[in-house]
Amino acid sequence: MKMIKKRIGYLVFATILICMSGCGRKETGSELLTETKEAVEPVKETVEPAVEETAQGIALHIYSGDEQAENIVRQTVYMDEVSERGVMEQLVAALEMDPAVELKSVSFGTHGGEKVVMLDLNQAFADYVSRMSTSGEYIVMGSLTNTFLECYQSELLLLTVEGKVLETGHAIYEEYLGMYPYVEAPYRIQEMVLGEGDMKISCPQIEGLADEQIQGKWNRIFLGTEERVMDTWDGSGSYEVNYEVKTMTPDTLSILMNGYIYGEEEKPYSFKYTYNIDLNTGESIRLKDHVDVQKVAENMFSGTGYYVDEALAPHFVERLSAIYESPDALARSLEGYDYSEDGSAPYGYSYIADGRVWICMEVPHELGDYIEIELDAQ
């Protein structure tokens, strides 16, 4: 079953209709739209797109319809540089819009503490959308909204056509739009239960991935890891492993494995390991691939740039100073986090959740064996 990202489709602006002057209606063709626009506080400084530079180019998330035109999905494209019109050109291509569709202007502001993107498109866009079915219009409007909101890290979008309200045969777009629901990934994670008796392992298996080679490679890795443990387990006590899918998008799969060993002690020994996969290349994603480990280490030593459970924070600081004599030593350790393609044992693990990077760092048993650390956005 496809996982749906539960986000607000429409943020309904309070529809308190106040009598407006005739010029207000003439300006936009809608009193409500005029009122909504006037409530936006313009942003004076330049607003830069929130994108990531990679080896392939600048990564941009573009939303569009799936092959069945049933759901909005997210894909990644790579550009030499990202501009407002460049984003629109990518959308036109992804949605197979009329090539005459153009973005006339983009402006930014705030309303009630939330960031607002204001788009003005040409008449060709209105003509194109008006010819679509209800579901087709939903896909186009949702893809446009999600792409610009994510690119410019905003919460609300206001759309006009040639400065006026967009009216189609299905809707009048007078109010703010928020993120539309979208399909997280066109594949599934299926549980494979291994072991018997006092050993129980929940092993993840990918199903439905378009690239069968990548799917097969990682399913063998997941299964092989657990089978090796089963072969070496001495049978004393009990052994349990389960998993949490932390990120599941068309581009990235991040899985946290949680293990527990129950013996004579009242408190079980716990352990963690992770899998982070680039589904475009089939390669492992390591901590050093998406954060500056030197900067992370310096921040940790200075007590900034990360979040841990408040009760564990003092113990974590003590742990750092006891093990690592300097930020450089910690950075060298962080550089070795996560599985590499050469099969070498990692120094620790990380995972990705809600766009943030988390580190799983080993601590003494009395503190829970592992501590999970959320890093500030890099």
Side-chain angles (χ1 to χ4, degrees):
M1 183 175 182
K2 293 181 178 179
M3 296 183 63
I4 303 295
K5 182 78 169 181
K6 294 183 179 177
R7 300 229 180 154
I8 298 173
Y10 293 91
L11 295 178
V12 181
F13 184 68
T15 55
I16 304 172
L17 297 180
I18 302 172
C19 293
M20 303 289 290
S21 64
C23 63
R25 174 177 285 277
K26 185 176 180 181
E27 179 189 351
T28 66
S30 163
E31 291 179 351
L32 180 56
L33 177 58
T34 298
E35 179 185 342
T36 304
K37 288 182 67 175
E38 290 177 347
V40 177
E41 183 70 27
V43 172
K44 296 179 181 179
E45 61 269 18
T46 302
V47 177
E48 298 291 344
V51 290
E52 179 185 2
E53 292 192 16
T54 71
Q56 298 103 310
I58 301 176
L60 172 68
H61 290 145
I62 293 289
Y63 291 79
S64 61
D66 60 13
E67 292 183 1
Q68 293 75 35
E70 295 176 349
N71 300 293
I72 298 171
V73 298
R74 187 173 73 167
Q75 60 180 307
T76 302
V77 298
Y78 298 93
M79 306 172 65
D80 292 333
E81 61 178 345
V82 175
S83 66
E84 295 144 357
R85 283 177 171 75
V87 173
M88 192 66 207
E89 288 171 0
Q90 291 290 338
L91 269 171
V92 168
L95 291 165
E96 299 181 352
M97 290 190 200
D98 183 336
V101 170
E102 291 183 353
L103 179 65
K104 293 179 68 69
S105 67
V106 182
S107 55
F108 303 93
T110 61
H111 174 73
E114 296 187 295
K115 298 177 183 178
V116 181
V117 180
M118 293 175 286
L119 304 181
D120 187 46
L121 286 87
N122 66 352
Q123 185 59 42
F125 176 77
D127 295 340
Y128 170 77
V129 176
S130 297
R131 295 193 298 267
M132 307 197 78
S133 64
T134 303
S135 59
E137 180 178 321
Y138 179 85
I139 294 289
V140 170
M141 295 301 296
S143 299
L144 176 76
T145 299
N146 288 4
T147 297
F148 274 93
L149 287 182
E150 180 171 344
C151 184
Y152 292 97
Q153 293 293 282
S154 301
E155 291 78 35
L156 306 173
L157 182 136
L158 200 58
L159 178 70
T160 56
V161 171
E162 305 286 352
K164 299 185 182 301
V165 65
L166 169 62
E167 296 188 42
T168 68
H170 310 112
I172 301 175
Y173 295 90
E174 302 174 285
E175 304 177 81
Y176 296 123
L177 299 174
M179 287 292 288
Y180 282 58
Y182 64 94
V183 174
E184 279 279 8
Y187 58 92
R188 302 170 301 282
I189 302 300
Q190 185 69 32
E191 180 187 30
M192 176 184 287
V193 179
L194 305 173
E196 58 184 16
D198 291 328
M199 171 177 279
K200 181 181 178 182
I201 299 173
S202 293
C203 177
Q205 291 286 277
I206 306 171
E207 291 187 355
L209 192 67
D211 192 318
E212 294 183 356
Q213 286 190 332
I214 293 177
Q215 175 175 296
K217 168 186 173 179
W218 283 98
N219 283 346
R220 288 190 296 273
I221 290 174
F222 299 150
L223 185 57
T225 300
E226 305 308 336
E227 287 179 336
R228 284 191 292 273
V229 171
M230 294 173 66
D231 290 341
T232 57
W233 177 245
D234 62 9
S236 60
S238 60
Y239 182 95
E240 177 185 338
V241 175
N242 56 55
Y243 65 86
E244 298 177 58
V245 178
K246 292 295 187 177
T247 292
M248 186 177 175
T249 71
D251 304 307
T252 306
L253 177 61
S254 184
I255 299 176
L256 170 64
M257 306 294 294
N258 296 295
Y260 305 92
I261 299 175
Y262 299 86
E264 296 180 357
E265 293 186 24
E266 181 178 346
K267 186 177 181 180
Y269 171 76
S270 64
F271 56 94
K272 297 179 184 289
Y273 52 101
T274 64
Y275 300 105
N276 302 297
I277 309 166
D278 183 332
L279 294 174
N280 296 306
T281 65
E283 296 179 356
S284 294
I285 303 172
R286 307 188 72 188
L287 179 64
K288 66 179 182 179
D289 294 332
H290 49 198
V291 303
D292 182 338
V293 293
Q294 184 67 43
K295 183 65 175 177
V296 169
E298 291 170 359
N299 285 345
M300 284 185 173
F301 263 78
S302 64
T304 61
Y306 68 90
Y307 306 92
V308 297
D309 185 290
E310 188 174 348
L312 295 174
H315 304 289
F316 173 66
V317 172
E318 291 178 7
R319 177 74 174 169
L320 278 182
S321 58
I323 296 179
Y324 304 102
E325 70 275 10
S326 67
D328 288 342
L330 175 57
R332 287 193 295 272
S333 176
L334 295 176
E335 190 169 355
Y337 268 48
D338 300 309
Y339 289 114
S340 64
E341 294 296 319
D342 63 12
S344 57
Y347 294 158
Y349 301 94
S350 70
Y351 63 83
I352 307 160
D354 296 324
R356 294 293 187 97
V357 177
W358 291 69
I359 293 175
C360 301
M361 186 173 286
E362 194 168 3
V363 294
H365 181 61
E366 59 269 21
L367 298 180
D369 301 310
Y370 273 84
I371 186 172
E372 295 183 36
I373 307 154
E374 180 184 7
L375 303 183
D376 273 347
Q378 293 291 301

